[in-house]
């Protein structure tokens, strides 16, 4: 089926209390792993690209692979631009065929974040492109966005209601205590903030910083309204470990396709486990 935006898949997920996995791809091999994992499990899925990955390969090249791999998939696939603060890149991706974008103006003061996020919605909606917007500051490093622990702060539930009413995002990313990268110690999730924000905004919530959360934390966040779960760091690890691990075990063998095959298997295995855990298997 042709690529679609996130609207229908997230509405169904929010209504049925499961979450759609949004997996950050890096290249052709990782994109293929996401699509095949979703097809095998009959799950809707989101292929997510960081702004850095788009810049690295070029939007046209990347979209060529994604369309080839996902445009004929047997399950609904959305192609989403992750954390982007650059309006020009958002426009470029929309023109190149992305079906969904995230505007991350969360580092700006509330009114500026709101105005910029609204501007992206107004630009995207007539083209049937969905928009995710962020409020609060999620700790860690995502792409070139660095948020130090002392600068991170949770989304304010009252501001969240105003933000969503005026921006009208299709998906909302409030900072609720999760972090980008690898967790040091036990993550402190503000479940009360998540619950309040999900119930009062009635917008599907995106859970950022998914890598490293326990199954229990995932289940609880999804039950409280997270309809999209972002997985990035885990794929980076599988990408490197799958590749390096195979070579270390077969260090006299120089057969690149076997190494790439092992890398593929490692990524796909993790993605399939995520899809099962998030409850989206069998939902397509
Ligand atoms: Zn994120």
């Amino acid at each position: 089926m042709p690529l679609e935006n996130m609207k229908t898949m997230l509405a169904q997920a929010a209504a049925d209390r499961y979450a759609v996995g949004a997996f950050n791809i890096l290249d052709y091999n990782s994109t293929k792993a996401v699509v095949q994992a979703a097809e095998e499990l009959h799950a809707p899925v989101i292929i997510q690209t960081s702004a850095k990955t788009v810049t690295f390969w070029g939007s046209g090249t990347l979209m060529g692979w994604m369309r080839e791999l996902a445009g004929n998939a047997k399950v609904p696939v959305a192609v989403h631009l992750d954390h982007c603060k650059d309006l020009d890149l958002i426009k470029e991706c929309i023109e190149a065929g992305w079906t969904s974008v995230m505007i991350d103006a969360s580092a700006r003061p509330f009114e500026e974040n709101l105005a910029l996020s609204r501007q992206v919605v107004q630009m995207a909606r007539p083209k049937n492109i969905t928009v995710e917007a962020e409020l609060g500051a999620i700790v860690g490093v995502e792409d070139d966005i660095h948020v130090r622990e002392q600068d991170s702060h949770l989304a304010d539930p009252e501001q969240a209601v105003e933000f969503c009413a005026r921006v009208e995002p299709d998906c909302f990313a409030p900072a609720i205590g999760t972090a980008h990268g690898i967790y040091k110690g036990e993550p402190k999730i503000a479940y009360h903030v998540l619950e309040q924000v999900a119930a009062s905004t009635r917008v599907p919530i995106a859970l950022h910083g998914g890598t490293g959360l326990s199954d229990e934390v995932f289940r609880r966040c999804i039950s409280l309204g997270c309809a999209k779960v972002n997985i990035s760091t885990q794929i980076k690890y599988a990408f490197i470990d799958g590749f390096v691990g195979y070579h270390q075990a077969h260090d006299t063998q120089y057969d690149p396709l076997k190494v790439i095959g092992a890398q593929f298997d490692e990524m796909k295995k993790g993605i399939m486990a995520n899809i099962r855990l998030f409850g989206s298997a069998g939902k397509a």
Side-chain angles (χ1 to χ4, degrees), residues 83 142 180 208 230:
H83 294 277
E142 179 68 47
H180 292 128
H208 284 247
N230 289 7

Side-chain angles (χ1 to χ4, degrees), residues 4 13 16 22-23 51 73 76 78 85 103 122 148 179 187 206 212 223-224 243 248 250 259 280 284:
E4 60 176 69
D16 288 358
F23 300 98
K85 36 184 188 176
I103 167 71
Q122 283 170 334
R148 292 177 306 173
S223 77
L224 292 175
F243 194 98
Q248 280 172 344
H250 308 83
V259 186
S280 55

Side-chain angles (χ1 to χ4, degrees), residues 48 82-83 102 104 132 134 138 142 180 207-209 230:
Q48 201 158 261
D82 200 11
H83 294 277
M102 175 179 186
D104 181 354
E132 176 178 341
E134 175 172 331
I138 300 170
E142 179 68 47
H180 292 128
L207 182 67
H208 284 247
N230 289 7

Side-chain angles (χ1 to χ4, degrees), residues 42 109 140 217 233:
H42 306 281
V217 171
T233 304

Side-chain angles (χ1 to χ4, degrees), residues 64-260:
W65 299 337
M66 295 193 293
R67 209 174 256 138
E68 186 200 317
L69 288 163
N72 294 312
K74 294 190 277 295
V75 294
V77 181
V79 170
H80 180 72
L81 174 65
D82 200 11
H83 294 277
C84 191
K85 36 184 188 176
D86 176 0
L87 279 191
D88 289 335
L89 189 63
I90 289 178
K91 279 184 200 146
E92 183 185 323
C93 287
I94 289 176
E95 272 157 30
W98 266 250
T99 59
S100 187
V101 294
M102 175 179 186
I103 167 71
D104 181 354
S106 61
R108 295 175 180 241
F110 180 72
E111 282 295 335
E112 279 182 40
N113 179 4
L114 199 151
L116 202 60
S117 300
R118 180 68 200 150
Q119 194 184 335
V120 172
V121 169
Q122 283 170 334
M123 180 171 85
R125 190 153 293 158
K127 300 187 162 109
N128 201 26
I129 309 291
T130 43
V131 176
E132 176 178 341
E134 175 172 331
L135 184 65
I138 300 170
V139 70
V141 181
E142 179 68 47
D143 236 18
D144 293 325
I145 303 172
H146 299 247
V147 179
R148 292 177 306 173
E149 192 151 10
Q150 62 267 38
D151 296 331
S152 69
H153 56 270
L154 300 178
D156 175 85
E158 277 177 31
Q159 279 192 335
V161 173
E162 186 188 349
F163 186 84
C164 288
R166 288 169 63 193
V167 173
E168 297 179 17
D170 303 286
C171 181
F172 182 45
I176 54 161
T178 55
H180 292 128
I182 295 291
Y183 286 95
K184 300 178 201 84
E186 192 68 23
K188 290 188 193 68
I189 316 294
Y191 293 109
H192 60 289
V193 173
L194 169 59
E195 187 169 19
Q196 210 178 331
V197 168
S200 55
T201 62
R202 309 184 71 79
V203 177
I205 304 290
L207 182 67
H208 284 247
T211 302
L213 298 179
S214 68
D215 292 4
E216 196 44 48
V217 171
F218 275 127
R219 285 198 196 96
R220 192 159 168 199
C221 289
I222 292 167
S223 77
L224 292 175
C226 286
K228 170 178 183 269
V229 176
N230 289 7
I231 299 290
S232 175
T233 304
Q234 174 196 303
I235 295 180
K236 292 178 188 168
Y237 274 66
F239 188 97
I240 308 268
D241 291 345
F243 194 98
V244 173
Y246 183 89
H247 183 64
Q248 280 172 344
H250 308 83
D251 62 359
T252 55
Q253 205 186 77
Y254 279 81
D255 185 342
L257 295 180
K258 284 200 173 143
V259 186
I260 292 171

